[in-house]
Amino acid sequence: MDSPHGAAVKAEDFGLKGPRGWAFRGVGIDAAPGSLIAVEGPSGSGRTCLLLALTGRMKPTRGHAEVGGHHLPKRMTAVRRIAALGPVSGVNELDQALTVAEQLREGALLQRHYGAPVRAMLRPRAERRAAAEARIAAALEAAGLDLAALPKGERTSVRDLERLEAVRLSVAIALLGSPGLLALDDLDLKLSDTERVEAWDLLRSVAGRGITVLAVCSEAPADAIVLRTSPKEPDAPDAPDASDTPAVAESDADAEADAEADAEADAEADGGSETDTKTDTKTENDDTKGADDALAEAGRA
C-alpha cells in the first residue's frame, strides 16, 4: 500500500433532513488527521446517515463540513476519492456469494480501475498482477486477517466468516486504495465483549498508520473522539438552509458516474447565500423517520 495521509474532519452545525424530518443535525467536530472518531448512538438515530454524509455519499442539507481539505457538500466527489467505505446495508456490502480471495481480487480490480493513475493500466499484465498481490498482502497484514487460519483458507466463502473476520476483510479491502479516511458502519454489531476490544484495537492500529478512522457504534471507547446522535426533542422553530431538500446517498459505483457534474460544481466560487424557508417543528418521531427515509434513498442510489 502507498503511504497514507490521514484526512482532517471538520464540521459545524452539520445536518441532513429527509422528507419527514431530520436524520441528524447540529453536528460539530474538529478532528486532526489520524484521529479515531466514533459515531455513538442508538439504532435509528441517524448514525449511518452521518457516516454517509461525512464520506461524500449523502448530500447534507444544513451547515458545512470539510474532509481532507474538501468542502461538503460542494466537493462530494473529491471526498469520495479519499474516503473508503466499509459495508453499509443496502449501499456497500460484502458479496456473500464470493470467496474471500474473489472478494479481495474484486476489490483490487475496482481500486485499480477507479483509483490508479492511467500509467498503471499500461504496465504489463504480469507486473500488474504482482502489484495487486503485493497490495492485497499488505492490506491483509494491516487488517490482521490471516487467510491460512480460515476454515478453507482463501477459498472460504464470505458468508461463512465470523463477524470479526468479516470486519477485518472489509478493512483490508478498504485499505487497498490507501484512503485518507476509513469509515465503518455498525462496528460492534453482533460482537462479544472480547471481540469488541479486538475490533477497536484494529482501528487504533489503522489510525496509528496515519489514516483517520470513523466508526459507527453503540458504545464508543474512552480514547475516541465521540459524535453522539439521538432522536431530537421538540424545539423552537428554526430556519433551515435554502438547500433544505431530501438527501440522496450514492454508492461507490454511482460516485464515478456523477464525477463530471460535481467537478463543474467544484469550479464555482465558495460563495453562497441562504434564504428564509419554512420553519421546522418536527417531533422525536419525525427525526427517526427522517433517518429511515434517507437510508431508503441510499438503497435506491
Side-chain angles (χ1 to χ4, degrees):
M1 296 181 297
D2 299 330
S3 177
H5 299 280
V9 178
K10 302 178 182 180
E12 184 177 351
D13 195 26
F14 200 51
L16 186 153
K17 190 176 184 181
R20 291 187 289 175
W22 290 95
F24 65 85
R25 57 178 162 175
V27 172
I29 186 175
D30 188 353
S35 295
L36 178 63
I37 307 167
V39 180
E40 181 186 81
S43 179
S45 63
R47 304 177 308 173
T48 301
C49 293
L50 178 54
L51 177 142
L52 291 171
L54 286 174
T55 55
R57 272 80 176 180
M58 184 175 281
K59 188 175 183 179
T61 54
R62 181 170 185 164
H64 64 273
E66 183 180 316
V67 179
H70 303 298
H71 293 274
L72 292 171
K74 288 187 175 181
R75 304 201 64 192
M76 292 175 65
T77 296
V79 171
R80 285 194 293 267
R81 291 194 184 106
I82 64 171
L85 188 66
V88 176
S89 180
V91 179
N92 185 44
E93 300 172 287
L94 293 175
D95 191 333
Q96 303 297 307
L98 298 180
T99 65
V100 171
E102 290 169 340
Q103 187 80 80
L104 286 165
R105 285 195 294 269
E106 180 182 87
L109 180 63
L110 289 173
Q111 188 280 326
R112 188 181 71 195
H113 181 72
Y114 291 113
V118 175
R119 63 178 179 275
M121 302 295 292
L122 303 178
R123 295 174 181 172
R125 178 175 298 179
E127 185 177 337
R128 295 199 305 269
R129 184 182 298 112
E133 291 174 353
R135 186 176 292 273
I136 288 173
L140 287 171
E141 181 180 0
L145 182 60
D146 182 5
L147 298 186
L150 298 179
K152 296 182 180 179
E154 64 176 18
R155 297 179 61 189
T156 301
S157 174
V158 170
R159 70 167 62 91
D160 293 331
L161 293 176
E162 298 292 336
R163 167 64 181 163
L164 184 57
E165 292 170 340
V167 170
R168 292 187 184 279
L169 176 60
S170 300
V171 169
I173 293 171
L175 294 179
L176 290 173
S178 299
L181 173 66
L182 169 65
L184 298 95
D185 193 28
D186 286 329
L187 175 68
D188 50 10
L189 180 67
K190 297 181 180 179
L191 293 181
S192 66
D193 291 342
T194 300
E195 290 171 333
R196 286 192 184 97
V197 171
E198 290 186 50
W200 284 112
D201 284 344
L202 165 61
L203 297 192
R204 288 188 189 94
S205 70
V206 173
R209 293 170 173 263
I211 302 172
T212 305
V213 177
L214 176 67
V216 167
C217 62
S218 58
E219 184 176 354
D223 60 339
I225 297 173
V226 182
L227 293 174
R228 290 185 173 87
T229 60
S230 61
K232 305 294 187 298
E233 296 295 335
D235 55 6
D238 57 11
D241 291 53
S243 60
D244 192 8
T245 55
V248 177
E250 303 182 46
S251 66
D252 288 342
D254 295 330
E256 296 301 324
D258 70 353
E260 183 176 346
D262 276 359
E264 293 176 0
D266 294 343
E268 297 178 359
D270 286 337
S273 62
E274 294 187 357
T275 60
D276 293 334
T277 58
K278 62 181 180 180
T279 59
D280 172 58
T281 55
K282 297 297 182 182
T283 63
E284 174 181 340
N285 204 27
D286 287 330
D287 288 317
T288 302
K289 290 178 179 178
D292 292 340
D293 289 340
L295 284 178
E297 290 294 336
R300 291 193 290 269

